[in-house]
Amino acid sequence: MSNKGFHVAVVGATGAVGQQMLKTLEERNFPLKSLTLLSSARSAGKTVSFRGEDVTVQEAKPESFDGIDIALFSAGGSVSKELAPEAAKRGAVVIDNTSAFRMDPEVPLVVPEVNKEDLRDHKGIIANPNCSTIQMLVALEPIRAAYGLKKVIVSTYQAVSGAGAQAVEELYSQTKAIINNESFEPKILPVGSDKKHYQIAFNAIPQIDKFEDNGFTFEEMKMINETKKIMHLDSLPVAATCVRLPVAIGHSESLYFETEKGALTAADIQNLLKDAPGIVLQDNPAEQVYPMPADCVGKNDVFVGRIRKDLDADNGFHMWVVSDNLLKGAAWNSVQIAETLIDMEIVKEQ
Ligand code: NAP
Ligand code: 12T
């Protein structure tokens, strides 16, 4: 650690997202005065390697946040509801990865490529959007800014790591059991279900998170409501269908959108996205070039391809958007928010 920088805490440091947060802080050479790793009592006392040193994980308590400048939360909604206000009260800026505060009007919900100016309004807690929302909005924002958006329809193909380390373990163990002709009992997926669990290996489950009364799942409603909030477009029509696939890492999305401006071609959209921040364009059907989750693992970018004009609807386009759900979808977007707070001098060194 150094004399310059910030006192940072990571809550949920032993989890699938927390581990990627630590890797991202290392890779970005984040300016750290100290690093506090927090978890539940289960993992307290374990050591985790950071920059070649062993750091002991501690049980998260309100007092854990005394003296902390920036707290990255990724330990589930109930932990955030209880401890994020405690951290904020002690002067930390909280960047929360759960859905606990995302729709709170007092809490900025931020994708830096889209709405970093909203960070200036924070009151101690900033929310990191849902993973599927983030990658969709990185791809849509340049189109909104240049041509306006009239409508968005998205279908997702989501990786199991979005549902935590236990869900990844379930995919591996079920795959092995099926190959070896052994019996197994689904226990984790779909998340949000307290009634039934289904096979994920060699399957596709059209439920992520619990069902709402309107027939949409909570994951689908997160994509719909968060998009309107982040883009400041309360009346933009958005619809989503979220599906879990037996992929370990990397969410894919089939996106349909209509622009306000007419007479555009697929080339216009490609030209816009090829130089846009946070995007890598991989779009060359002649060479079978398009994004796939296996290629995006470990990368911070959002990959876009298969851009084509709809055959019937005026101003309608289709595209395919892929990103590492644990990085831009979670850990990297959170650390990027922290870096942006420092760049914009919203958080200053003491
Ligand atoms: P995970 O692999 O299951 O890890 C959960 C982490 O939370 C572990 O470090 C665990 O510590 C800790 N934890 C659990 N209960 C706790 C408690 N009472 N007090 C303190 N720490 C506690 O899950 P994950 O995939 O990393 O996801 C964690 C959370 O991040 C999710 O619940 C979700 O809210 C959020 N998330 C957001 C996105 C997004 O779209 N932006 C994506 C994925 C996840 P132990 O080792 O002690 O159990
Ligand atoms: N249950 O919005 O299961 O924090 O993939 C993100 C992903 C919750 C969230 C998942 C989830 C979130 C999942």
Side-chain angles (χ1 to χ4, degrees):
M1 306 299 146
S2 108
N3 297 329
K4 283 173 71 81
F6 301 87
H7 295 288
V8 173
V10 176
V11 189
T14 52
V17 175
Q19 287 291 302
Q20 295 303 313
M21 283 180 169
L22 299 184
K23 227 178 96 197
T24 304
L25 291 170
E26 278 183 337
E27 275 170 16
R28 302 289 303 178
N29 204 16
F30 195 91
L32 289 174
K33 252 188 213 145
S34 70
L35 180 65
T36 303
L37 302 187
L38 303 169
S39 72
S40 80
R42 288 182 296 274
S43 292
K46 278 190 192 161
T47 59
V48 169
S49 160
F50 184 82
R51 292 182 182 165
E53 284 173 40
D54 283 344
V55 184
T56 304
V57 180
Q58 303 166 46
E59 183 180 353
K61 295 184 182 145
E63 313 82 69
S64 312
F65 301 97
D66 288 335
I68 296 294
D69 302 310
I70 300 171
L72 303 170
F73 272 73
S74 187
S78 55
V79 177
S80 290
K81 277 188 188 138
E82 186 192 331
L83 291 178
E86 295 289 343
K89 204 165 77 186
R90 287 167 170 77
V93 175
V94 170
I95 302 169
D96 182 36
N97 232 302
T98 77
S99 57
F101 300 102
R102 287 183 192 147
M103 296 314 297
D104 184 330
E106 300 275 280
V107 173
L109 180 64
V110 175
V111 180
E113 288 85 346
V114 181
N115 64 332
K116 66 179 181 188
E117 285 303 317
D118 289 348
L119 290 171
R120 296 194 193 280
D121 301 330
H122 88 81
K123 297 179 175 61
I125 300 178
I126 293 156
N128 190 81
N130 173 262
C131 40
S132 302
T133 311
I134 295 173
Q135 69 183 67
M136 174 167 83
L137 292 202
V138 170
L140 282 179
E141 171 60 15
I143 300 164
R144 184 209 62 78
Y147 302 132
L149 283 176
K150 224 160 57 180
K151 177 188 244 181
V152 176
I153 300 175
V154 58
S155 295
T156 71
Y157 304 67
Q158 296 185 219
V160 293
S161 54
Q166 284 183 305
V168 180
E169 185 45 45
E170 175 162 76
L171 170 62
Y172 290 151
S173 64
Q174 276 182 13
T175 305
K176 262 195 228 150
I178 290 169
I179 287 170
N180 294 328
N181 216 5
E182 291 160 5
S183 65
F184 60 88
E185 190 195 339
K187 289 200 179 81
I188 307 289
L189 294 167
V191 287
S193 163
D194 41 18
K195 289 197 201 104
K196 287 181 176 172
H197 295 289
Y198 294 119
Q199 172 184 334
I200 182 60
F202 307 100
N203 204 4
I205 304 176
Q207 180 191 351
I208 299 182
D209 224 321
K210 60 185 187 297
F211 276 96
E212 304 278 289
D213 292 340
N214 63 7
F216 284 78
T217 63
F218 188 46
E219 184 81 351
E220 291 159 355
M221 291 313 298
K222 285 181 250 176
M223 291 192 79
I224 293 166
N225 293 328
E226 293 177 19
T227 295
K228 295 175 201 237
K229 174 167 173 174
I230 297 164
M231 285 193 154
H232 298 278
L233 291 175
D234 285 347
S235 50
L236 177 70
V238 185
T241 302
C242 293
V243 180
R244 186 83 65 187
L245 288 196
V247 166
I249 298 177
H251 288 356
S252 305
E253 300 180 345
S254 167
L255 257 172
Y256 172 78
F257 59 92
E258 290 172 9
T259 55
E260 296 277 2
K261 186 173 179 334
L264 295 171
T265 64
D268 291 324
I269 306 292
Q270 284 159 337
N271 283 331
L272 205 54
L273 297 189
K274 79 178 182 340
D275 301 317
I279 293 179
V280 175
L281 187 69
Q282 294 183 327
D283 196 5
N284 185 356
E287 298 296 327
Q288 288 175 248
V289 172
Y290 38 72
M292 291 182 280
D295 298 328
C296 80
V297 177
K299 297 176 182 151
N300 285 343
D301 309 277
V302 173
F303 299 86
V304 184
R306 301 289 326 273
I307 298 172
R308 72 221 111 100
K309 193 152 189 343
D310 190 72
L311 299 178
D312 298 299
D314 286 343
N315 310 351
F317 291 89
H318 301 268
M319 64 185 181
W320 179 248
V321 177
V322 178
S323 193
D324 184 325
N325 54 296
L326 298 177
L327 292 178
K328 184 58 182 169
W332 163 234
N333 199 68
S334 290
V335 173
Q336 190 185 16
I337 288 173
E339 289 184 359
T340 308
L341 288 167
I342 297 167
D343 281 353
M344 291 170 77
E345 299 186 349
I346 298 169
V347 172
K348 296 196 189 95
E349 222 177 300
Q350 302 293 314

